[in-house]
Amino acid sequence: MMPDLGKYADAVLSSYVVSILLLVVLVVMSLRAAKKARAELQKLEDRRRG
Amino acid sequence: MASLWEYANPVKFIRTAETVLPWVSILATVTLVAGLVWGFFFTPDDYRQGSTVKIIYIHVPAALMAINVWFMMLVTSLVWLIRRHHVSALAAKAAAPVGAIMTVIALATGAIWGQPMWGTWWEWDPRLTSFLILFLFYLGYMALWEAIDNPDTAADLTAVLCIVGSVFAILSRYAVNFWNQGLHQGASLSLDKEENVADVFSTPLYISIAGFILLFIALVFLRTRTEIYKRRTKALLARERLG
Amino acid sequence: MIALLMRDLRLAMRAGGGFGLGLAFFLIVTVLVPFGVGPESTLLAKIAPGILWLGALLACLLSLDRIFALDWEDGSLDLLATSPLPMEGVVSVKALAHWVTTGLPLCLAAPIFGVLLHLPDQGHTWVVLSLLIGTPALSVIGTFGAALTVGLKRGGLLLSLLVLPLYVPTLIFGSEVARRGIEGLSTTTPLLMLGGITFGTIALLPFASALVLRVNLR
């Protein structure tokens, strides 16, 4: 399954890991911010309607 | 046919985002995974660079996005300054962190790639240096957004900074080129077939680039919507406080 | 316009105006560098033009927040905004006053401080020349940064973060002129580029500075 990366395995693997990690962090943070902003607005609008 | 400017209306934008976002997200995930898996598992090693050539499927798309995200911010900033569409200004704000992360990915993978190939993590090569400067521009732009309370003032100031910054970024590119000739190879993808990377490498690379672009579009939709919610919350709170 | 210039110059000269501060900072940077890199004269001579340029740039940066801060606090900036003088003019005069009070003294002091760094003899002319051509650009770009951050309470750090990337081309071409001049290479291209940057920024950036200043005064 795993391709033979030869002597450069460290370089290839670490760049994939670092990049994917950064992308995942970015996506998770965006999703969490979206959720939070939506919940706050919802709460406020519910309160306004009474 | 609906004019593009209709999407400048926040309510309309949110409605569009609701319908588009799931599809773009799925498409982005599928393409990105496909591109990276193909690139990582099913491409041969390069006869000179060995398996490090697999880094290209992250490095090149990230570098392309790093520049194009700034370009998109420049366009949306101009639209805000000229036509005063709030969504446009917020889209620029939403895109900046994505661009900054792309720049970091391009720099990090470049450093990791440079280590075995050039024997050094970092070299003051024009391309590397320009990306570092671009990253500083992203930082300044985001810091200015954070520092100003009034949203319209912040939008105006950051828009002007983005335009002035673009001019200076291009100037820096030339200055850096003049200052040091580099190790970095020329463009990996060009219309001129002769210089291009071989087909076995380029097909997954194109898929990966498409994946990065789709991911960016999805993130911008999501983050712009977040900004609109935040703006509305702020406005409602201000109204409540007034009476 | 001349009245405004004279007023700014007088304010800067007066105690607390920070006239000598930039120079003192420049001197300290020059003195500290040998402590950092060691006292070898060959090494110092090699990096001297770069250090002088960097020191001048940092000294310039340090005095930027003063350009508008005092006028903003006492409200005279609002008066200036309503005066018949266009905002572009105000901004240009402010940049000029900043250059006369910081850039020009730095240019004149550079050859003296160069002695401390074993700057080669033929280097003095090139350093002064490149600084004379380059520092106006630093003042004009800095005025833009100061206009962006004028109303902010913790603007100082942000100002550096915004302005320093904009200084990159000027720094590269400026120190390149000095370096090539010392090595006896042709300096025409970097000199022309440096001059181009200076004149370009003087011609165009005041419009951007005036625009953001108007936004900040809104």
Side-chain angles (χ1 to χ4, degrees):
Chain A
M1 184 66 211
M2 193 69 191
D4 179 24
L5 296 172
K7 58 180 170 166
Y8 300 128
D10 288 350
V12 179
L13 284 177
S14 60
S15 48
Y16 270 78
V17 168
V18 167
S19 310
I20 290 171
L21 213 65
L22 278 170
L23 287 181
V24 168
V25 167
L26 179 68
V27 170
V28 168
M29 276 173 65
S30 304
L31 284 174
R32 277 176 69 176
K35 219 170 167 182
K36 202 177 133 211
R38 185 176 221 161
E40 262 170 33
L41 184 62
Q42 200 68 52
K43 210 171 76 187
L44 212 64
E45 284 191 330
D46 288 350
R47 196 165 70 197
R48 260 159 59 88
R49 289 202 197 90
Chain B
M1 202 189 117
S3 146
L4 181 66
W5 301 119
E6 272 185 39
Y7 297 100
N9 177 337
V11 180
K12 176 115 202 215
F13 176 87
I14 288 197
R15 218 177 301 139
T16 318
E18 301 289 345
T19 45
V20 170
L21 198 50
W23 295 105
V24 181
S25 309
I26 293 169
L27 211 58
T29 319
V30 170
T31 353
L32 199 58
V33 169
L36 291 184
V37 166
W38 187 345
F40 188 81
F41 292 103
F42 304 110
T43 52
D45 288 356
D46 184 71
Y47 69 96
R48 268 182 307 133
Q49 307 213 22
S51 61
T52 55
V53 74
K54 293 182 194 297
I55 299 177
I56 205 175
Y57 304 108
I58 295 178
H59 182 70
V60 169
L64 276 175
M65 291 316 287
I67 296 169
N68 286 323
V69 171
W70 185 273
F71 184 69
M72 170 256 174
M73 282 159 56
L74 174 65
V75 172
T76 47
S77 296
L78 281 170
V79 170
W80 158 251
L81 282 182
I82 296 165
R83 306 226 10 185
R84 312 301 289 179
H85 291 312
H86 284 90
V87 173
S88 186
L90 292 177
K93 183 186 184 183
V98 184
I101 293 281
M102 291 298 175
T103 319
V104 173
I105 291 178
L107 282 170
T109 51
I112 295 170
W113 199 352
Q115 219 290 321
M117 288 300 110
W118 303 334
T120 170
W121 296 100
W122 181 260
E123 186 65 38
W124 288 97
D125 163 276
R127 281 198 183 213
L128 304 185
T129 316
S130 308
F131 267 82
L132 198 58
I133 297 169
L134 181 64
F135 181 60
L136 294 179
F137 274 111
Y138 274 119
L139 283 187
Y141 179 86
M142 291 190 290
L144 191 62
W145 262 112
E146 289 307 313
I148 302 166
D149 288 331
N150 183 316
D152 277 3
T153 311
D156 277 336
L157 297 185
T158 50
V160 177
L161 178 69
C162 183
I163 293 162
V164 172
S166 306
V167 176
F168 275 87
I170 293 167
L171 262 180
S172 305
R173 181 79 180 92
Y174 280 103
V176 163
N177 248 341
F178 176 79
W179 166 76
N180 196 356
Q181 325 295 342
L183 293 170
H184 201 293
Q185 58 175 318
S188 317
L189 293 173
S190 62
L191 294 176
D192 185 9
K193 265 280 173 223
E194 291 298 303
E195 295 175 14
N196 226 333
V197 291
D199 276 349
V200 256
F201 299 118
S202 69
T203 317
L205 180 55
Y206 284 126
I207 297 176
S208 180
I209 290 173
F212 269 79
I213 295 173
L214 286 167
L215 175 69
F216 168 69
I217 294 173
L219 280 172
V220 166
F221 265 113
L222 179 69
R223 298 178 66 94
T224 310
R225 198 183 64 183
T226 309
E227 293 298 334
I228 295 174
Y229 284 152
K230 277 198 203 155
R231 278 287 283 276
R232 174 126 179 91
T233 311
K234 212 172 174 184
L236 285 179
L237 281 176
R239 208 179 300 163
E240 267 183 11
R241 234 176 283 128
L242 280 175
Chain C
M1 260 173 121
I2 297 188
L4 179 62
L5 179 63
M6 294 318 282
R7 169 182 162 277
D8 270 13
L9 291 182
R10 261 203 308 279
L11 277 176
M13 301 283 189
R14 206 175 294 164
F19 177 64
L21 229 55
L23 267 183
F25 179 80
F26 190 23
L27 176 64
I28 288 182
V29 170
T30 321
V31 171
L32 286 184
V33 167
F35 296 147
V37 302
E40 274 171 77
S41 57
T42 45
L43 177 63
L44 283 176
K46 198 151 186 277
I47 60 172
I51 299 298
L52 289 174
W53 251 94
L54 209 54
L57 186 145
L58 291 175
C60 202
L61 183 76
L62 206 67
S63 50
L64 285 179
D65 57 337
R66 294 179 164 274
I67 296 181
F68 295 116
L70 294 175
D71 286 349
W72 166 267
E73 278 162 18
D74 67 8
S76 44
L77 205 56
D78 293 296
L79 282 180
L80 282 174
T82 52
S83 76
L85 191 61
M87 199 56 114
E88 286 79 6
V90 174
V91 175
S92 308
V93 169
K94 288 278 181 191
L96 179 62
H98 178 261
W99 183 72
V100 172
T101 51
T102 49
L104 192 59
L106 290 174
C107 296
L108 299 178
I112 305 168
F113 296 169
V115 175
L116 292 174
L117 296 174
H118 299 280
L119 184 69
D121 288 338
Q122 71 274 27
H124 288 84
T125 359
W126 288 112
V127 167
V128 175
L129 183 68
S130 61
L131 279 174
L132 271 178
I133 299 176
T135 43
L138 299 184
S139 289
V140 175
I141 298 169
T143 310
F144 171 67
L148 270 178
T149 55
V150 69
L152 297 174
K153 274 166 222 88
R154 47 197 162 74
L157 260 176
L158 180 64
L159 180 61
S160 340
L161 185 59
L162 296 179
V163 167
L164 283 178
L166 300 178
Y167 276 175
V168 169
T170 318
L171 174 65
I172 288 181
F173 286 120
S175 46
E176 196 74 3
V177 168
R179 211 174 70 193
R180 291 188 171 212
I182 291 169
E183 287 171 9
L185 299 167
S186 158
T187 54
T188 328
T189 322
L191 257 183
L192 283 177
M193 287 305 291
L194 187 64
I197 289 174
T198 301
F199 287 117
T201 48
I202 291 176
L204 297 175
L205 256 188
F207 293 101
S209 315
L211 181 66
V212 294
L213 202 55
R214 272 194 225 107
V215 169
N216 265 329
L217 289 171
R218 195 163 58 191

